Amino acid sequence: MAHRILIVEDQPDICKLIRMTLEFGDFEIHEAHDGESGLNMVRAIMPDVVLLDVMMPGLLDGYQVCDRIKKDPVLQKIRVVMLTARGQATDLAAGEAVGADAYLVKPFSPLELIERVENLVSASA
């Protein structure tokens, strides 16, 4: 059974890199390009893992999306990996405060991304 992955990333090149990295695994990959559409897609497709950029255009940033996912009883079991260029201790603490399951700093290793996603998928199975 393919595990559903939602990529919420506003940069097309990074989105493409993530998709190319994961398409060799047993994943059904979906994309959204801002926080609002990402949150709507989370509700619609109920992914196993959300790969969530922090800084995005629109009304909701990645922290706000993660916070809403983790506070919603229907969605809270969905695993969230924050993907961001912001790697300061305060950024990591903000991700932890909203319930992120993992935090990867850009540029990230494709192998590390695959490993994190596979670990989260197997932990939720």
Side-chain angles (χ1 to χ4, degrees), residues 25-78:
D26 189 21
F27 302 118
E28 175 187 314
I29 301 170
H30 300 266
E31 294 179 17
H33 303 289
D34 61 61
E36 299 88 39
S37 61
L39 188 57
N40 289 334
M41 284 194 71
V42 166
R43 291 181 177 123
I45 68 170
M46 297 296 290
D48 297 293
V49 177
V50 177
L51 302 174
L52 184 58
D53 187 16
V54 171
M55 297 180 290
M56 291 181 288
L59 300 173
L60 298 175
D61 67 17
Y63 295 130
Q64 293 166 312
V65 173
C66 183
D67 188 53
R68 290 184 187 193
I69 291 169
K70 294 302 185 173
K71 286 182 176 171
D72 185 324
V74 175
L75 307 176
Q76 65 188 9
K77 291 193 187 307
I78 294 171

Side-chain angles (χ1 to χ4, degrees), residues 63 86-96 103:
Y63 295 130
R86 300 175 63 162
Q88 301 296 319
T90 54
D91 301 314
L92 298 171
E96 192 174 301
Y103 202 103

Side-chain angles (χ1 to χ4, degrees), residues 55 73 109 114:
M55 297 180 290
S109 152
I114 291 169

